[in-house]
Amino acid sequence: MSDCLFCQIVAGQIPAKVVAESDDSLAFYDIAPQAPVHVLVVPKAHFMSVNEVTVKHPGVFDDLMRLAQKVAEIEGVKDSGYRLVFNVGRDGQQTVSHMHAHVLGGRLMTWPPG
Ligand code: 5GP
Ligand code: ZN
């Protein structure tokens, strides 16, 4: 998907601060962090949202979640806790149509923040 922002980040065509990488997923810092730790974890393959991942794509969720675990460890929030969020579609307020998990931590996850 040449016009997809996160595909372009995966391809190295748009810069991002990479935190960690696995065979099938990439983790990089969110450009507008909502918490002291705010990392996005994306599959390297293009899926518009969680809805597009089916039994025909074994390992996609597994690989992504394992990388999210690793991010939590690297960022030092594994034990203090963190929020793992997938926004899906319109009502989920997903703004980038390439599936991604938000790893949010480093503060108490009250809403609204503060
Ligand atoms: P969504 O709202 O779709 O769940 O999350 C999209 C996230 O992507 C937002 O938190 C937004 O700040 C982040 N984002 C948007 N554009 C860029 C970008 O060019 N680089 C990075 N690193 N993050 C981005
Ligand atoms: Zn994409």
Side-chain angles (χ1 to χ4, degrees):
M1 286 281 290
S2 56
D3 59 345
C4 168
L5 175 62
F6 288 173
C7 281
Q8 287 175 291
I9 287 177
V10 167
Q13 292 160 353
I14 289 178
K17 289 185 185 166
V18 171
V19 178
E21 187 173 3
S22 62
D23 286 349
D24 297 328
S25 308
L26 183 71
F28 53 90
Y29 291 110
D30 196 291
I31 204 168
Q34 304 296 309
V37 174
H38 191 170
V39 176
L40 301 174
V41 189
V42 310
K44 290 180 180 175
H46 183 83
F47 295 94
M48 276 183 66
S49 81
V50 165
N51 289 341
E52 283 201 339
V53 182
T54 72
V55 289
K56 291 177 189 160
H57 313 106
V60 170
F61 283 131
D62 188 66
D63 186 89
L64 189 146
M65 295 300 273
R66 286 187 192 287
L67 189 59
Q69 285 179 326
K70 191 172 171 186
V71 165
E73 193 164 3
I74 291 168
E75 292 293 313
V77 297
K78 182 183 172 186
D79 295 327
S80 54
Y82 53 97
R83 185 165 285 171
L84 202 47
V85 178
F86 290 90
N87 295 326
V88 181
R90 184 196 62 200
D91 287 358
Q93 300 215 292
Q94 181 180 357
T95 60
V96 177
S97 295
H98 179 128
M99 178 180 130
H100 50 280
H102 297 256
V103 181
L104 293 149
R107 69 165 169 83
L108 204 55
M109 283 296 133
T110 49
W111 190 260

